[in-house]
Amino acid sequence: MEWDAEVDVIIAGGGGGGLITALTVAQSGLEVAVFEKTEHLLGNTAASASMIPACNTKFQHQLGIDDSVEKMTADILMKNHNESDPALVRALATVSGEMVEWINDSLQIEMSVVLEFKYPGHSALRMHAPPSRSGLELMKKLKRKVSERDNIYLLLQTSLQKLIQDDTGHVIGIEVSASEGTRYIKGRKVVIATNGFGGNKELVKQHIPEIAVAAYFGYEANTGEGMEAGITSGAATKSLTAYQGHAGINENTGLLVTWGTIMMGGFYINSLGERFANETQGYSEFTREVLKQPEQYGYIIYDERIHRNLLSIEDYKQITEMEAYKTAETVEVLAQKIQVDVERLSITFKNYQQQQNGQADAFGREFFDKSLENPLYAIEVIPALFHTQGGLLINPHAQVLDTNANIIPNVYAIGGSAVGISGNHAYGYMSGNGLLAALGFGRIAGLHIVESLAEEKGGVIL
């Protein structure tokens, strides 16, 4: 074959996972080419709150937070009912702390523990994020670090078409589509980092029909090409029914309403003004509950204390600047403002206020932080698909496996392109699983590539 270019490592996909992989590999001196389908470096990472779950970090130690690989692994497996591969979960839990410290120390992107609240399923305060709590800001900083390196080549509007294998089945490069036509790129290692198939309506209908009617809130370019390229090359897939939903999307602004509104003591009502399920089960599985409701939307009700505590989160700050919520001094006036039945919401509010910490309500909700106080807030929200959680079968090094569970040489898959750690259903998603699988497996793949290429050269890369 006549190649158009040759590098050490090819990365298909310029989201957070792809850039973490590129930076990890480039620090060893290897040449890296990143091919991004769109004209921007965004991906689902940019739409996130940049919160990365990590355990046993120096940031936790400084705050006296007791956490470990064992605890984090157990939490993830408990949330997904032990449906995911424990080896993959442990691999991510193990790398998580080192990765967050590397992002802070080596990439000089400030990280700290999120102290405002715990997300459902986490037994410790382990979310780490930049001060802005903004995925877009995180992507900007990663892009800046990529631009500083002369051994990372970034090509935009260039999409993966297929993997190229030799006669022995080893992956030796990729075919890409660019504005100037088809190009063939040779590489010693290839990383598929193109995320999942949430933006492909037909694939969603095929694999996850229960969420197909919901809005899609992920990156529009996530249409499954990476997964399909892997399948064409003999790769196996797993957990294609898994996904991350979110029940807190404000459609008017296009912004994510943090579930901190719930975990700090707020509650969720349908268009009739009534609660209908346990909000603290998790925002992913709660998405299905909202889809069962009249008109398939609702409101999150919270108060001034919660409002003020969430202003450190960039998306919520923007919601505040746009005044996307309604506020009132009484629940009756609030009901009128959001046009729900006054009597029903008043009864719902009264019943909710009567619950005490440790006392389960009719829906099984046991966590009640504090009673809500006037003034009250309400923001309209809809359920949405955020991204898929199943994909190509991989091992703990992020190497892609075939249908016989054998390694397909030289190819890796990370993030939404690979099977995640959320099991097979919406209930298995725990906050941060998606970003952890993208950045964590990106770090794991990068380190493994550096190690394996060094071994090929007798321990010397440069």
Side-chain angles (χ1 to χ4, degrees), residues 274-288:
E274 299 172 337
R275 289 180 64 220
F276 50 90
N278 176 8
E279 301 93 336
T280 61
Q281 63 185 281
Y283 51 73
S284 183
E285 58 266 51
F286 199 78
T287 303
R288 294 179 304 169

Side-chain angles (χ1 to χ4, degrees), residues 84-309:
S84 64
D85 183 346
L88 297 183
V89 177
R90 174 167 282 275
L92 285 175
T94 301
V95 81
S96 65
E98 179 274 337
M99 178 182 67
V100 164
E101 292 183 10
W102 171 75
I103 290 172
N104 183 86
D105 300 342
S106 181
L107 301 185
Q108 298 182 318
I109 300 173
E110 182 183 353
M111 303 294 287
S112 62
V113 181
V114 177
L115 299 174
E116 288 88 344
F117 53 88
K118 287 181 190 175
Y119 278 111
H122 290 282
S123 63
L125 289 167
R126 64 168 65 102
M127 288 296 190
H128 295 70
S132 67
R133 311 291 194 254
S134 166
L136 182 59
E137 185 65 23
L138 176 60
M139 283 300 298
K140 288 179 179 178
K141 291 179 178 179
L142 288 173
K143 180 182 177 182
R144 189 176 304 125
K145 288 299 174 181
V146 165
S147 68
E148 292 172 0
R149 302 206 63 95
D150 58 10
N151 59 336
I152 299 179
Y153 310 108
L154 178 62
L155 294 95
L156 302 177
Q157 295 181 289
T158 308
S159 60
L160 171 67
Q161 297 300 300
K162 66 179 182 180
L163 304 177
I164 300 173
Q165 294 168 283
D166 64 16
D167 293 339
T168 66
H170 288 58
V171 173
I172 57 173
I174 64 171
E175 176 186 314
V176 297
S177 176
S179 58
E180 61 271 22
T182 300
R183 292 291 182 267
Y184 301 97
I185 313 300
K186 187 177 183 180
R188 295 155 72 190
K189 302 292 179 182
V190 174
V191 181
I192 303 173
T194 55
N195 209 292
F197 56 89
N200 187 322
K201 291 185 178 180
E202 292 306 313
L203 286 179
V204 172
K205 287 178 183 177
Q206 178 183 343
H207 298 295
I208 325 173
E210 70 178 55
I211 197 66
V213 297
Y216 176 56
F217 194 69
Y219 197 45
E220 60 183 14
N222 298 340
T223 49
E225 291 93 341
M227 184 180 75
E228 292 177 336
I231 293 171
T232 302
S233 298
T237 59
K238 187 177 180 182
S239 300
L240 298 186
T241 55
Y243 67 94
Q244 177 200 349
H246 205 296
I249 308 301
N250 180 250
E251 192 171 20
N252 291 333
T253 62
L255 292 170
L256 179 69
V257 180
T258 170
W259 214 241
T261 51
I262 296 295
M263 300 310 293
M264 287 183 178
F267 62 91
Y268 202 118
I269 61 168
N270 59 21
S271 59
L272 302 177
E274 299 172 337
R275 289 180 64 220
F276 50 90
N278 176 8
E279 301 93 336
T280 61
Q281 63 185 281
Y283 51 73
S284 183
E285 58 266 51
F286 199 78
T287 303
R288 294 179 304 169
E289 302 295 339
V290 182
L291 289 172
K292 298 174 186 176
Q293 302 306 304
E295 302 184 60
Q296 299 181 330
Y297 75 93
Y299 296 88
I300 297 176
I301 309 296
Y302 54 108
D303 66 4
E304 180 73 18
R305 171 185 62 86
I306 296 172
H307 163 73
R308 290 187 177 277
N309 285 337

